[in-house]
Amino acid sequence: MLYRWQQAQVVAEVSSAEVARDSEVRALRAANKRLAQEFDILNKALVIFGQPTP
């Protein structure tokens, strides 16, 4: 009975770690997407402001 309780505890710890990792991965992907958008905006601004004026 003690062995079953220990195994259940191990499974619970692993699943909680996976849930924490999943939320961290989602947050990192969202941050990555935001940074990619900022990079695109800055590149477009560089093109616009880098053009010589007539």
Side-chain angles (χ1 to χ4, degrees):
M1 187 171 229
L2 184 59
Y3 177 77
R4 278 189 254 148
W5 175 80
Q6 185 181 19
Q7 290 302 316
Q9 186 67 24
V10 167
V11 169
E13 289 174 1
V14 168
S15 66
S16 66
E18 288 176 2
V19 169
R21 192 176 334 128
D22 289 343
S23 64
E24 184 180 2
V25 167
R26 273 187 261 128
L28 289 172
R29 285 184 179 160
N32 190 24
K33 183 177 180 180
R34 182 180 50 81
L35 289 172
Q37 290 173 343
E38 290 177 4
F39 182 74
D40 289 340
I41 290 169
L42 289 173
N43 276 337
K44 290 175 184 177
L46 183 63
V47 168
I48 291 170
F49 292 117
Q51 293 176 350
T53 54

